[in-house]
Amino acid sequence: MSFKSSKQPQIPALPDHIGVFPLRDTVVFPGVPAQLSSARPQTIRLISEAVETDQWLCLLTEKHPVDTPGPENLYTVGTAAKAQRMWHLPDGSIRVLVQGICRIEVLDFLTDTPHLSIRPRPLPATKTTDPDIQALSSGASSLFQQILSLTPHLPEELQIAVINITDPDRLSDFIAFHLNLDLSEKQTLLESTDVAFRLRQLSQAMTQEIDVLEMGQRIRTRVHTELDRSRREFLIREQIKALHRELGESDTRTVETETLRLRLSNIPLTAEARTEAERELDRLVRLPLGAPEYAACRTYLDWLIDFPWATPTPETIHLDRAQRLLDADHQGLETVKMRILEELAVYQLGGGSRGSVLCLVGPPGVGKTSLGQSIARALGRRFMRLALGGLRDEAELRGHRRTYINAMPGRLIQGLCRSGSRNPVVMLDEIDKIGQGIGDPAGALLEIFDPEQNAAFVDHYFNVPVDLSPIFFIATANVISNVPEALRDRLEVIELPGYLESEKLAIAQKHLLPRQKIAHGLNQKQLTLKSAALRHLITHYTREPGLRNLERVLGTLCRKAARGIADGSFTTLSLSPKELPVYLGLPPFQDALSDNRHLPGLATGLAATPSGGQLFYIEATAMPGSGELILTGHLGDVMKESARAALSYVRTRKDLLPHLSEQIGKSDIHLHVPATSVPKDGPSAGLPMAVCLISLFTQTPVHPGLAFTGEITLTGRILGVGAIQDKLLAARRSGIRQVVLPEANRTTLESIPKATLRGLHLCFVHTIEEAFQIAFKRK
């Protein structure tokens, strides 16, 4: 490419119309030669005629590239040029060398000509009197030369040319054409006739370009240094490998990485997991052996390999076998076992999990975990238990991100890796004891339970989708009300209220006592407990819904027997009810009927607690005062409100207590619930509190062996309450045989096993007055 004289040529006379050569992605300036190309047939004909007849060309830049540009898509300021030479290319396009002559403005577009043409008007440079024009020109020339020195791929001819250009107008056009600017910025410079403005704009742009080029040069230098260091380390490692081979020693690291690669190729990873594993393996190869990231990368690959990616094997479920397993493992619980068999029947028919998760709710020791194990055996799957009690960090379920030190997968992924099974029975134990800490653990459980989301569950540590849908999830809880509402909506609650005495007796004879004998080194003949002794032990030493304390007491008897046999005191031990106090001490529990509480101002209530149904006693006394109500016994807000409502109702019943109405208003009433160290709350104490107050004011003892449950209103109505089965079991365990219940709970009896109701006399009442008639009825 040759450059002409630096003197600005005189603008020649232009014809009336000039053909338009549309330019795409470039701007041509006056005084600058440029090579252009085109494949448009119309433009090719125009260039051919211009070369043959030495016609003028109008170089206009397109605003937006289109196939057939029209006047609306072209800028109105361009460059008048002459075509000097043209080449035809093999693909049918042309390449042409043009020389820009002067700026022109489009006065009008002519569309009636063979080619798109314009009527031009020359735009000469504005004569400037700026005294700094030479300084601007010299500065721009120096900056452009500096850019050329920082850009090695540009030809040296540009530097020679810019040195020999002395005219500021020509210099600004030359630099603008060769400088790396946006198309809109170049068009702005072309449209400006103010030379000083153009030089200032170019100087500012070149200053920024120099900063970028210098930064890039520094980066290239640093990268080159790092590459040199990497090459040197690579050569040293290769030399070390060669020395190992010469000495006959194996390269431990190579063997390790190849072993990992082989293990990864032999497991059915998902596409996402394989991509991540190969990326980490390639990274492991590049890391130094002693780098901290090496151990983290290796640990991650081990977790990926240990995870059971294989497709779960289809299973065959036999309901009769499942029922035999449940009956052999669990005494009673007929309703619960029936519900579990229904769920297994759905699995047998191919229904799978329908988005709900079985949640076994009941007090401790009733067999929730063992039921989960029985379900796993019936399905032929492995059993995995995750204890969620006290879990406060969402990362315990979702895993820690690998950016943290000592990051680990979540508990669920860890359990699946240990179990080696893709579809185990997973029991999430104590789901009601999840705390609020870092993140939202309950929200993580929602994603795990949701069949629409758990098919692509992403553990933060794994960072690849994992399919959890084949897993059979079971949850357990002591109190379902403590489970967050959104999570509770995902659970299908199955209540386990507790065991009857007959069921406990059978379980102790078949399971608990033989197991404790084996655990303490006794054979079946060395310790014998008669049925009467076991029944007495269940009734007077272990008053609980579950079996843990019963097994604990049986373990105590086994230890006593083991010591006596070991020291030679006896060879066998057979215990009757009368001999139990010798080894276990006095019974901690007595029947409610045997407790001498037939005094005015006393009543017995039934309540539901996290450990099952329980009896509680209410005592009331009156003393001279101003009508103040004193409440003690560690009562919650609900029980306090029930006490106030009961007292208000009694005070309004002047027809019931006409001779005591004034005395009630002048007396302070103290209502107390014993066992003050135990917090008590719930909506079941309103009825027994009202009965207790009436007994106090009428000085009439409540009928013995009678217990109450129900909430009251100020108008005397009795509202229904929950956990009826738990409360009835508590009454049976305590020797209560008559229970007063709200009429609203009559329909609840349909879901309660008949064995629970056997021996109980239930009285249903609508109002408090009906309850009074039962409470103070004489034999």
Side-chain angles (χ1 to χ4, degrees):
M1 185 181 296
S2 62
F3 299 94
K4 296 183 178 181
S5 171
S6 62
K7 292 183 180 181
Q8 179 71 25
Q10 296 294 326
I11 299 177
L14 298 176
D16 293 337
H17 65 274
I18 304 177
V20 175
F21 184 170
L23 303 180
R24 178 179 294 183
D25 300 330
T26 187
V27 177
V28 177
F29 286 83
V32 181
Q35 283 193 12
L36 306 175
S37 61
S38 177
R40 299 188 182 107
Q42 186 176 2
T43 304
I44 293 175
R45 289 195 298 270
L46 173 66
I47 298 300
S48 300
E49 293 176 4
V51 171
E52 292 175 0
T53 61
D54 194 27
Q55 294 180 6
W56 287 84
L57 294 173
C58 176
L59 308 179
L60 294 179
T61 303
E62 300 177 18
K63 297 178 181 178
H64 303 288
V66 294
D67 292 336
T68 305
E72 70 282 354
N73 198 45
L74 297 172
Y75 288 105
T76 58
V77 175
T79 302
K82 287 281 190 173
Q84 296 182 342
R85 190 176 177 183
M86 183 181 71
W87 298 270
H88 289 276
L89 301 180
D91 60 356
S93 63
I94 63 166
R95 184 174 298 166
V96 60
L97 176 65
V98 298
Q99 176 71 36
I101 305 299
C102 64
R103 285 176 173 79
I104 57 174
E105 181 183 12
V106 177
L107 295 178
D108 192 12
F109 284 96
L110 305 176
T111 57
D112 55 352
T113 57
H115 312 289
L116 179 63
S117 304
I118 65 163
R119 288 195 302 111
R121 182 174 73 86
L123 290 177
T126 304
K127 294 183 178 180
T128 179
T129 58
D130 192 338
D132 297 331
I133 190 67
Q134 291 300 327
L136 288 171
S137 177
S138 176
S141 178
S142 299
L143 290 172
F144 189 68
Q145 294 179 54
Q146 188 175 354
I147 288 177
L148 294 176
S149 64
L150 293 172
T151 313
H153 64 273
L154 294 179
E156 293 184 9
E157 296 178 6
L158 292 178
Q159 191 167 6
I160 297 172
V162 76
I163 293 174
N164 290 282
I165 298 176
T166 57
D167 181 63
D169 185 17
R170 175 82 179 279
L171 178 67
S172 64
D173 288 339
F174 181 84
I175 294 175
F177 178 75
H178 292 94
L179 196 61
N180 183 20
L181 297 174
D182 292 339
L183 194 66
S184 60
E185 294 177 337
K186 287 191 175 184
Q187 182 65 31
T188 301
L189 293 172
L190 180 64
E191 294 176 356
S192 175
T193 60
D194 187 347
V195 178
F197 169 78
R198 299 205 301 261
L199 290 172
R200 289 191 180 93
Q201 292 295 108
L202 289 170
S203 298
Q204 182 178 358
M206 286 189 290
T207 301
Q208 296 176 355
E209 181 70 14
I210 289 170
D211 291 339
V212 173
L213 291 173
E214 288 179 344
M215 182 180 297
Q217 189 176 42
R218 289 195 297 271
I219 293 173
R220 286 193 297 272
T221 302
R222 186 165 59 250
V223 170
H224 183 71
T225 303
E226 293 293 333
L227 287 176
D228 287 344
R229 185 183 298 111
S230 299
R231 292 192 190 100
R232 180 171 175 272
E233 291 178 356
F234 174 76
L235 291 175
I236 293 174
R237 289 194 187 97
E238 290 299 319
Q239 292 173 1
I240 292 174
K241 291 179 182 179
L243 290 174
H244 278 297
R245 286 192 295 269
E246 290 294 328
L247 294 173
E249 299 175 358
S250 62
D251 186 352
T252 306
R253 176 166 177 169
T254 303
V255 172
E256 183 179 21
T257 54
E258 290 304 320
T259 302
L260 286 173
R261 196 178 300 276
L262 179 62
R263 292 173 65 190
L264 286 171
S265 64
N266 291 332
I267 57 177
L269 293 171
T270 61
E272 297 89 345
R274 189 166 298 281
T275 301
E276 187 72 11
E278 291 176 353
R279 186 179 70 84
E280 287 297 316
L281 186 58
D282 293 339
R283 180 169 173 260
L284 182 71
V285 173
R286 295 192 301 270
L287 286 172
L289 191 60
E293 294 86 354
Y294 184 89
C297 188
R298 173 60 196 271
T299 303
Y300 174 74
L301 290 172
D302 286 337
W303 279 113
L304 274 184
I305 292 172
D306 292 340
F307 187 81
W309 297 99
T311 303
T313 305
E315 57 200 1
T316 303
I317 302 173
H318 301 285
L319 290 182
D320 53 349
R321 176 177 176 271
Q323 185 164 8
R324 288 196 302 270
L325 286 173
L326 290 173
D327 290 338
D329 294 343
H330 301 276
Q331 186 74 23
L333 303 177
E334 299 302 329
T335 304
V336 177
K337 290 189 286 188
M338 183 182 300
R339 178 63 187 86
I340 291 174
L341 289 172
E342 292 171 356
E343 190 72 17
L344 296 181
V346 173
Y347 266 80
Q348 180 179 352
L349 297 177
S353 176
R354 293 150 292 104
S356 60
V357 176
L358 295 182
C359 182
L360 306 177
V361 179
V366 295
K368 299 186 291 295
T369 302
S370 59
L371 275 171
Q373 294 172 341
S374 299
I375 293 174
R377 288 203 294 158
L379 290 171
R381 300 188 185 186
R382 296 186 181 181
F383 179 76
M384 189 177 79
R385 175 178 173 270
L386 295 181
L388 303 182
L391 187 144
R392 299 175 60 84
D393 190 352
E394 181 183 0
E396 291 291 324
L397 293 172
R398 293 189 186 273
H400 301 82
R401 299 189 186 276
R402 277 180 282 158
T403 53
Y404 294 97
I405 299 175
N406 298 327
M408 295 287 285
R411 291 189 187 182
L412 183 58
I413 298 297
Q414 291 185 42
L416 292 175
C417 291
R418 285 193 296 268
S419 70
S421 173
R422 179 75 180 280
N423 59 338
V425 173
V426 176
M427 173 165 282
L428 302 171
D429 209 4
E430 297 181 328
I431 198 172
D432 57 330
K433 295 180 177 62
I434 294 178
Q436 290 295 328
I438 303 174
D440 183 14
L445 284 177
L446 275 176
E447 181 179 352
I448 291 172
F449 289 158
D450 191 351
E452 301 296 331
Q453 302 181 55
N454 64 10
F457 176 76
V458 178
D459 183 272
H460 288 164
Y461 182 82
F462 265 30
N463 201 30
V464 293
V466 175
D467 186 7
L468 303 181
S469 58
I471 298 175
F472 191 110
F473 287 105
I474 303 174
T476 70
N478 294 134
V479 182
I480 192 62
S481 60
N482 293 342
V483 179
E485 185 175 355
L487 184 57
R488 197 186 318 157
D489 183 60
R490 281 286 176 196
L491 304 176
E492 190 159 347
V493 177
I494 301 177
E495 294 188 358
L496 282 75
Y499 294 99
L500 299 172
E501 292 178 7
S502 58
E503 295 171 345
K504 285 186 176 182
L505 179 62
I507 293 171
Q509 290 174 335
K510 294 180 181 179
H511 302 283
L512 302 184
L513 187 56
R515 186 165 62 203
Q516 287 298 319
K517 288 180 181 180
I518 295 173
H520 291 84
L522 301 175
N523 59 41
Q524 298 300 321
K525 296 181 180 180
Q526 288 176 320
L527 175 63
T528 305
L529 266 76
K530 300 177 182 179
S531 298
L534 274 176
R535 190 175 290 106
H536 184 78
L537 188 148
I538 292 169
T539 305
H540 295 87
Y541 285 89
T542 59
R543 189 164 293 177
E544 58 172 351
L547 301 168
R548 289 182 183 172
N549 199 32
L550 175 58
E551 189 169 11
R552 192 177 296 116
V553 173
L554 291 174
T556 301
L557 290 176
C558 289
R559 287 194 299 273
K560 300 289 187 181
R563 179 179 177 181
I565 294 172
D567 62 15
S569 300
F570 47 80
T571 57
T572 60
L573 180 62
S574 179
L575 297 176
S576 63
K578 295 181 179 179
E579 295 171 321
L580 288 178
V582 178
Y583 296 94
L584 298 177
L586 294 176
F589 302 107
Q590 297 292 335
D591 289 343
L593 293 175
S594 63
D595 193 1
N596 187 17
R597 289 179 171 269
H598 309 317
L599 301 172
L602 299 178
T604 303
L606 293 170
T609 68
S611 58
Q614 289 186 1
L615 261 69
F616 67 94
Y617 300 102
I618 303 174
E619 301 176 348
T621 186
M623 61 201 79
S626 57
E628 180 183 359
L629 176 62
I630 304 171
L631 300 174
T632 56
H634 207 159
L635 306 182
D637 293 337
V638 176
M639 289 189 72
K640 291 178 181 179
E641 292 176 359
S642 298
R644 295 189 184 97
L647 180 59
S648 298
Y649 174 80
V650 171
R651 283 178 171 172
T652 58
R653 291 302 305 272
K654 294 182 180 181
D655 57 330
L656 186 65
L657 306 168
H659 60 288
L660 294 177
S661 59
E662 296 182 2
Q663 181 182 349
I664 294 174
K666 297 179 180 180
S667 300
D668 289 340
I669 301 165
H670 187 167
L671 194 146
H672 177 67
V673 181
T676 56
S677 63
V678 179
K680 310 172 191 67
D681 201 9
S684 302
L687 180 57
M689 284 180 173
V691 171
C692 178
L693 291 175
I694 292 295
S695 173
L696 171 68
F697 293 134
T698 61
Q699 287 297 298
T700 305
V702 178
H703 191 278
L706 187 61
F708 303 84
T709 184
E711 188 57 286
I712 64 171
T713 67
L714 293 177
T715 58
R717 291 185 299 114
I718 300 179
L719 306 179
V721 292
I724 295 299
Q725 187 171 353
D726 290 334
K727 296 172 182 178
L728 295 180
L729 286 174
R732 288 178 59 95
R733 288 193 298 268
S734 302
I736 298 293
R737 292 296 176 262
Q738 187 174 9
V739 180
V740 178
L741 300 171
E743 180 66 31
N745 289 114
R746 184 184 291 273
T747 56
T748 310
L749 300 184
E750 298 177 1
S751 60
I752 298 178
K754 294 182 179 180
T756 304
L757 305 177
R758 190 176 298 118
L760 288 177
H761 178 59
L762 306 181
C763 303
F764 294 94
V765 293
H766 290 90
T767 63
I768 300 177
E769 189 169 352
E770 294 178 12
F772 291 165
Q773 296 174 2
I774 298 172
F776 305 118
K777 181 180 177 181
R778 298 294 183 182
K779 289 187 178 180

